[in-house]
Amino acid sequence: MPTQNRKRYWKSREERDGAPDPAATDREFFDTPAVTGAAYTTRRGFLTAAGFGLAGAALSSCSRAPVVQAIPYLVQPEEVTPGRPYFYASTCGGCSAGCGLIVRNRDGRPVKLEGNPDHPASRGGLCAAGQASILGLYDSQRLTAPMRDGQRASWADVDGAIRTTLDDIRTQGGAVRFLTGTVTSPTVRSLIGAFLKPFPNARHVAYDALSTSALLDACEQTHGARVLPRLRFDRAEVIVSFDADFLGTWISPVEYTVGYSAGRTLRGDPPRLSYHAQFESRMSLTGGRADWRIALAPAEIGIVIGHLAERLARMADMPLAPGALPPAPVPAARLDELADRLWRARGRSLVVCASQDTSLQVLCNAMNHAVGAYGTTIDVERPSYQRAGNDRDLEALRDELSAGGVAALFIAGVNPVYDLPDGDGLAQALRTVPLVISFADHVDETSSVARYVCPDRHFLECWSDTEAVAGVVSLTQPVIRPLGESRQLIESLAVWSGAPMSACDLVRAHWTQQIYPRRRTDAPFRDFWERAVHDGVVEVTPDAPAVRPFGEAARGVMVPEAPPLPDGDFALVLYPTVGMLDGRHAHNPWLHELPDPTTKVTWDNYASFSPEAAGRIGIADGDVVRLESSDGLTGATKVIELSAHLQPGQHDRVVAVALGYGRMGTDRFAKVGPQWIEGRTTVGTNGLIGVSAAGFRTLANGVLRDTGRLVRVTKTGRTRPLAATQSHHMIAVPAALAPAGGARRPIVEETTLAAYVKDPTAGSLGHAEPTADLWPPDHPYTGHRWAMVVDLNACTGCAACVIGCQVENNVPVVGRDEVRRHREMHWIRIDRYYADGDDGGVDVIHQPMLCQHCEHASCEVVCPVLATVHSSEGLNQQIYNRCVGTRYCANNCPYKVRRFNWFDYPREDRLQNLVLNPDVVVRSRGVMEKCSMCIQRIQNARIEAARLGQPLGPNAVETACQQSCPARAITFGDANDPESPVSQARTSPRYFRVLAELNVKPAVGYLRLVRHRPEDGGERRHG
């Protein structure tokens, strides 16, 4: 008998405690007036009007349809066949990680971004923000022409005025500063340097709004070079992370997810499963995946680092004295065991830290040296060039601007007025600079005070390159003609330098001089270049930095003091989300509506508290609270007001707030959604989406910090419920199938590594599928039989699949208020389950849930018009032309994966409509929608196989969710092919199907989660 999983899982505290859902008034189906003045105020009234609308639609269909003419090419491009997709290899510009891209084009326009499997770092993965960045290309509010003093201007006028001013500054010896984010492009970096060279007082300053400056400073102390080490999670068997959300937002999450998942495959004998310990203040995406997680206050993290470093130093006989340490907030026995794990895995251990305290980073370097991480799990000789900003240079520039010492400032790729704590003061200082040029593509907080705005192009319109990792150089190539009159940054610099050239020529010239000489194999430059354009990436000999072996810098490093928190105060933690990051994606509604993987909140940031802290101060979900903090430098009081969110697993003395919200221009999303609810949408301060928390950051002593502030929390007496999806679409379990005692029947399954080694079927819920029923024998599947398997051990919950599906299948954005009414339209959701852990902590499991394509589908038998039918290849198909929107199928679906399209969601922006995938119909209102297993991709693969005269191979079809997953957690294919990966996955002893005892026979299955647990080594769980 397999070991059964007896844990209790829950999505929300109300579900756990059996309390009523506080959002009950915001259900999808409402019977009371929702809003004064709404067009349809009751369910009866709405259904009456909807019935009339259906009759009207039927009558109008008798009239003559408009004639749409297809005009052929006069001269057809050689590589383009109308109606067939074609592909470009490129590089993602969604952040500084530089992941490889494959861009799918149709008829001259890109419609989908996928990861490039040939890229050595990202390996075909692509995060949610990267996939959604295609929408920014078609943003109608993107600047398409230069601006002078806030007014549209011509390039000739702007160029002439800028050149004249620059000539005067050069003659007078004025200070010129070029402020950017991390520049991973070798060509752009070189051209900025060449542009600044003629000025006698010029400097390039780079900073990152999500800074890792302390990590680079520590590497400079211990290794003599200010570089960002490349972290090889794929080689690590023991991982200890201090507040680093490396699977979510820290540095290069796609690359790290690929490596992390490779270390937890359970392949081999014994099964490979890296051990992961996480110390953090808030519940992060990475913390939810940890084998052992403890919640600490920010100041306590440094104490734990000191104690762990001291233990490893003794083991390695290293001269390290971190000073007199206060007692650790973690049991000594637990730290002893963790140090022993790291020591026993020497050469295969890895310690990472996201602290912006250089001394703590130096101690982490010392620990990595003690366990032999350098040269194995950490590579400093082939470092990363991501997040290479220098906060000390940024602080010096801010002081120069305040003193009026800058004559010209160029700003590219950053928004310092928004990013930095004293944004208003910085904006005032910028107004006194004689020449301020912004390359922003929107009117934002910084470009609005610039003299000139010379908009850079979207990365899909550009020629450029990226070397995010030493020796891995990828190309960015334009996949569409520029939309408007914008101009690339490097082209503008060339014009102002007096030698105008196209971006393509500039990149080729740099490659000829700098990249081509580093080639690994001899080939003519033309072949080298064309191979790079085709593949999107080349590997060359890295320019190795002058790195010395680990030095004595860690000796005598003191752990910062951790004064006790005053009564009533909270430690503030600011953090990025997977959608907004530093706010660069604030103009993307797809990412606003993406539920946060941990909190499941959309369209807002919020003040996050632990349930215990919320009970102590008397607040509930949705209560508006005021956060106040005094600035230690100026004495000014900073105040923001946010809705409260109760987050299990967070430290009781911590309040966490997301960065990246409250951006200028986001007020246009206040009315996203159907017009009949206009007026109900509530937004943040000044009509913006969310509230900016950047004022609570600190920039002092050469470091930009997001922790360290103390805030006082007070209730305002107001409420503003959040649009959170954590209790939406609860899977219905018949009472007859519920466990004894009234407990909820678990949907997910997990086990421990020790139990799995003894019995690979351990963790099964023991619910056998019925062997006899009233149904006729199984449907005959003589050809293909499509099926999917999701590995819960690989899935990190990053939500890349959600956005991948949305882009591929034209899933609409419905707006904040409709999400509150459980009406989000995502075809795939990530169910986040909590389970009570030891010592009051919580465990987290993420489970992607989509239409299960059941063989005995309960939706099919109740549809009165046969709009949902089963195909001969095992797919549950939705026929929109038949559907009349009875919603019987949704009521009968035990998995709650069907979506009713309530409205004709606005498609009025003709430019934005170019992002729609022409292979997938745009659905009208009043029909049910759900996952189709990307039937359009199946059909395209079938057509291509027929064209080539080949059978459809086992890997010929990849669904959008599968292709986007950095962890490769999703497998799809033909279950009738015994050699296909999906067939092999279905034979795994970890395989199970959700609610299999209902006898609906889903085509989607899951592989059980396996974790290290107490019986695997004596550890206990905390926090």
Side-chain angles (χ1 to χ4, degrees):
M1 179 71 179
T3 304
Q4 294 188 12
N5 180 12
R6 302 297 183 185
K7 297 178 73 170
R8 182 186 180 193
Y9 300 93
W10 38 279
K11 278 187 174 183
S12 65
R13 292 176 298 103
E14 290 76 23
E15 180 188 355
R16 180 194 64 185
D17 301 335
D21 185 351
T25 58
D26 293 322
R27 293 294 187 191
E28 179 178 7
F29 304 100
F30 51 86
D31 292 301
T32 57
V35 176
T36 303
Y40 308 118
T41 56
T42 66
R43 182 183 179 190
R44 181 183 298 275
F46 175 81
L47 292 176
T48 301
F52 178 81
L54 289 173
L59 291 174
S60 65
S61 66
C62 300
S63 61
R64 183 175 180 179
V67 176
V68 179
Q69 295 181 346
I71 302 175
Y73 285 106
L74 184 62
V75 179
Q76 180 173 321
E78 182 179 349
E79 70 278 6
V80 175
T81 301
R84 289 189 60 195
Y86 51 100
F87 302 88
Y88 293 96
S90 191
T91 306
C92 182
C95 69
S96 64
C99 298
L101 278 188
I102 298 294
V103 184
R104 187 173 82 221
N105 270 39
R106 278 287 301 270
D107 302 326
R109 59 186 172 96
V111 295
K112 186 69 170 67
L113 306 183
E114 307 284 1
N116 184 352
D118 294 331
H119 195 282
S122 56
R123 298 288 182 185
L126 194 62
C127 69
Q131 291 179 81
S133 61
I134 190 175
L135 189 61
L137 174 67
Y138 303 113
D139 186 351
S140 58
Q141 292 198 10
R142 186 162 61 99
L143 295 177
T144 56
M147 298 178 67
R148 180 176 183 176
D149 296 326
Q151 301 297 320
R152 185 185 178 101
S154 69
W155 279 111
D157 291 343
V158 167
D159 290 338
I162 290 176
R163 281 198 300 263
T164 299
T165 306
L166 289 177
D167 288 341
D168 293 341
I169 292 173
R170 186 184 300 110
T171 302
Q172 298 168 8
V176 177
R177 300 292 180 261
F178 211 114
L179 181 63
T180 69
T182 291
V183 178
T184 55
S185 167
T187 300
V188 174
R189 216 167 33 237
S190 174
L191 289 174
I192 289 176
F195 174 76
L196 295 177
K197 190 173 182 179
F199 296 93
N201 182 6
R203 189 166 72 248
H204 179 195
V205 177
Y207 84 94
D208 296 294
L210 304 178
S211 177
T212 58
S213 187
L215 197 161
L216 283 85
D217 292 342
C219 195
E220 187 174 28
Q221 289 187 30
T222 59
H223 291 82
R226 194 176 188 277
V227 295
L228 181 69
R230 187 182 183 192
L231 307 177
R232 300 301 302 266
F233 287 90
D234 55 320
R235 300 175 181 175
E237 292 185 6
V238 178
I239 301 166
V240 179
S241 170
F242 293 99
D243 217 23
D245 186 16
F246 58 84
L247 298 178
T249 58
W250 191 62
I251 303 180
S252 187
V254 169
E255 177 186 1
Y256 297 161
T257 298
V258 171
Y260 181 84
S261 300
R264 298 175 71 88
T265 59
L266 293 172
R267 299 192 185 99
D269 187 18
R272 186 181 184 192
L273 186 71
S274 61
Y275 179 82
H276 173 198
Q278 184 84 3
F279 300 88
E280 60 185 10
S281 302
R282 65 176 185 91
M283 177 66 78
S284 71
L285 191 68
T286 305
R289 290 289 297 151
D291 298 297
W292 182 64
R293 176 188 179 274
I294 183 167
L296 301 173
E300 294 175 331
I301 292 176
I303 297 173
V304 174
I305 290 175
H307 279 279
L308 189 60
E310 194 175 48
R311 285 165 166 78
L312 289 173
R314 286 199 304 266
M315 293 177 175
D317 195 22
M318 284 174 51
L320 181 66
L325 295 170
V330 182
R334 184 65 189 90
L335 286 178
D336 290 340
E337 192 232 340
L338 187 57
D340 184 61
R341 277 187 180 271
L342 288 166
W343 183 251
R344 284 188 284 111
R346 291 190 300 280
R348 305 180 308 279
S349 294
L350 178 60
V351 179
V352 295
C353 178
S355 172
Q356 277 289 83
D357 190 302
T358 303
S359 60
L360 296 183
Q361 293 287 0
V362 168
L363 288 175
C364 288
N365 288 358
M367 286 191 276
N368 282 314
H369 174 69
V371 298
Y374 289 106
T376 54
T377 58
I378 299 180
D379 192 346
V380 291
E381 295 182 352
R382 294 188 59 185
S384 295
Y385 297 137
Q386 311 144 352
R387 303 274 183 95
N390 191 322
D391 292 346
R392 200 169 300 279
D393 291 347
L394 174 64
E395 187 178 16
L397 175 60
R398 187 191 62 179
D399 294 341
E400 283 184 308
L401 291 169
S402 299
V406 176
L409 178 65
F410 298 82
I411 305 173
V414 289
N415 187 2
V417 174
Y418 172 82
D419 295 333
L420 303 183
D422 187 19
D424 292 338
L426 180 60
Q428 187 61 36
L430 290 179
R431 291 187 180 97
T432 66
V433 178
L435 178 62
V436 177
I437 299 175
S438 171
F439 297 92
D441 59 357
H442 286 79
V443 176
D444 59 27
E445 291 80 357
T446 302
S447 64
S448 62
V449 297
R451 178 73 185 279
Y452 299 98
V453 181
C454 302
D456 201 356
R457 289 175 180 163
H458 192 276
F459 69 87
L460 293 175
E461 301 170 321
C462 289
W463 277 106
S464 188
D465 53 7
T466 298
E467 189 173 9
V469 174
V472 178
V473 187
S474 57
L475 267 176
T476 301
Q477 61 176 310
V479 297
I480 188 174
R481 289 184 179 273
L483 302 175
E485 300 174 20
S486 58
R487 189 170 69 190
Q488 276 192 243
L489 165 66
I490 55 177
E491 291 179 336
S492 294
L493 297 183
V495 169
W496 301 334
S497 298
M501 291 178 64
S502 70
C504 181
D505 290 340
L506 289 168
V507 174
R508 282 177 60 97
H510 180 80
W511 275 54
T512 302
Q513 299 169 12
Q514 301 295 331
I515 306 300
Y516 180 62
R518 297 163 55 191
R519 64 191 182 279
R520 290 186 173 180
T521 59
D522 197 24
F525 175 77
R526 179 177 178 178
D527 294 346
F528 178 79
W529 171 261
E530 290 183 351
R531 174 54 59 185
V533 171
H534 178 272
D535 294 346
V537 61
V538 293
E539 292 194 66
V540 296
T541 303
D543 287 333
V547 176
R548 65 170 185 253
F550 182 86
E552 297 285 322
R555 181 187 299 202
V557 171
M558 304 297 291
V559 173
E561 294 184 3
L565 284 170
D567 290 340
D569 283 1
F570 285 81
L572 177 65
V573 172
L574 304 176
Y575 67 95
T577 65
V578 297
M580 292 299 103
L581 296 178
D582 56 2
R584 67 183 63 200
H585 299 297
H587 295 280
N588 194 312
W590 285 344
L591 294 174
H592 277 296
E593 193 151 296
L594 175 69
D596 181 87
T598 300
T599 66
K600 314 307 291 183
V601 176
T602 68
W603 286 105
D604 265 311
N605 59 343
Y606 36 84
S608 183
F609 299 87
S610 73
E612 292 76 11
R616 189 172 64 248
I617 60 180
I619 59 174
D621 274 312
D623 287 346
V624 177
V625 296
R626 179 180 295 110
L627 306 184
E628 300 180 64
S629 176
S630 296
D631 192 314
L633 297 176
T634 65
T637 299
K638 299 182 181 294
V639 179
I640 58 173
E641 293 184 356
L642 293 161
S643 296
H645 172 76
L646 276 57
Q647 177 58 55
Q650 184 166 305
H651 192 273
D652 293 342
R653 298 298 302 277
V654 165
V655 56
V657 179
L659 295 165
Y661 288 83
R663 281 285 307 271
M664 177 185 290
T666 58
D667 52 342
R668 60 176 163 145
F669 298 129
K671 296 179 181 179
V672 167
Q675 294 303 306
W676 78 280
I677 62 167
E678 183 175 342
R680 279 200 290 126
T681 304
T682 52
V683 292
T685 305
N686 299 323
L688 305 178
I689 299 299
V691 179
S692 173
F696 287 87
R697 312 178 92 180
T698 58
L699 176 59
N701 301 319
V703 175
L704 179 63
R705 295 177 184 268
D706 292 330
T707 60
R709 274 192 184 270
L710 301 182
V711 295
R712 185 163 293 274
V713 179
T714 56
K715 297 191 294 183
T716 65
R718 306 193 311 276
T719 61
R720 182 175 179 272
L722 296 166
T725 65
Q726 63 182 4
S727 60
H728 293 195
H729 313 301
M730 303 290 288
I731 292 181
V733 181
L737 300 180
R744 189 174 179 85
R745 185 258 201 230
I747 303 300
V748 292
E749 297 186 7
E750 69 170 308
T751 187
T752 67
L753 178 61
Y756 175 77
V757 171
K758 294 178 183 177
D759 177 8
T761 65
S764 170
L765 295 174
H767 294 276
E769 298 188 21
T771 57
D773 55 51
L774 298 178
W775 292 86
D778 289 350
H779 301 285
Y781 297 103
T782 56
H784 302 293
R785 184 178 185 179
W786 304 110
M788 178 179 286
V789 175
V790 182
D791 188 353
L792 299 185
N793 211 56
C795 176
T796 65
C798 70
C801 55
V802 178
I803 295 296
C805 173
Q806 182 163 19
V807 183
E808 174 74 19
N809 293 294
N810 302 331
V811 175
V813 171
V814 303
R816 181 183 185 277
D817 280 289
E818 290 304 285
V819 174
R820 283 187 55 210
R821 297 187 181 280
H822 299 211
R823 293 176 179 173
E824 67 272 18
M825 294 297 295
H826 292 133
W827 286 7
I828 181 173
R829 68 177 190 264
I830 307 295
D831 287 339
R832 186 264 295 114
Y833 290 97
Y834 295 122
D836 295 324
D838 297 337
D839 300 325
V842 292
D843 297 334
V844 179
I845 299 180
H846 293 97
Q847 183 183 52
M849 182 56 61
L850 63 159
C851 176
Q852 303 287 290
H853 292 267
C854 308
E855 186 175 331
H856 293 169
S858 55
C859 58
E860 296 174 9
V861 296
V862 295
C863 181
V865 293
L866 294 180
T868 176
V869 296
H870 214 71
S871 78
S872 61
E873 295 184 344
L875 296 180
N876 176 266
Q877 297 180 325
Q878 187 71 23
I879 304 174
Y880 301 125
N881 284 349
R882 292 181 186 171
C883 181
V884 296
T886 64
R887 300 185 294 279
Y888 295 161
C889 56
N891 291 332
N892 219 38
C893 174
Y895 305 100
K896 300 306 173 190
V897 289
R898 306 178 75 87
R899 304 286 174 262
F900 183 61
N901 193 335
W902 283 89
F903 304 102
D904 281 326
Y905 296 100
R907 302 279 190 188
E908 300 164 358
D909 191 326
R910 295 185 64 185
L911 179 61
Q912 186 169 298
N913 285 347
L914 292 178
V915 80
L916 297 175
N917 183 1
D919 290 334
V920 179
V921 65
V922 177
R923 284 77 60 186
S924 61
R925 66 176 295 189
V927 301
M928 297 301 301
E929 300 185 18
K930 55 96 188 172
C931 164
S932 66
M933 288 292 187
C934 290
I935 184 64
Q936 69 278 2
R937 293 191 174 208
I938 296 175
Q939 292 296 90
N940 286 339
R942 197 193 316 272
I943 293 170
E944 183 66 10
R947 185 181 71 86
L948 298 175
Q950 300 173 351
L952 197 62
N955 298 314
V957 182
E958 280 190 303
T959 61
C961 57
Q962 174 190 13
Q963 194 168 35
S964 64
C965 180
R968 314 312 296 169
I970 301 174
T971 304
F972 175 80
D974 184 3
N976 278 352
D977 181 356
E979 302 300 321
S980 69
V982 73
S983 292
Q984 296 171 10
R986 284 160 65 99
T987 63
S988 169
R990 293 192 291 130
Y991 180 75
F992 72 96
R993 297 197 283 189
V994 173
L995 297 181
E997 61 272 28
L998 294 181
N999 199 32
V1000 293
K1001 297 189 176 181
V1004 178
Y1006 298 85
L1007 299 184
R1008 198 171 294 115
L1009 176 67
V1010 180
R1011 277 176 167 157
H1012 292 273
R1013 278 300 183 258
E1015 58 266 37
D1016 299 337
E1019 65 261 31
R1020 304 180 67 198
R1021 286 184 65 81
H1022 300 267

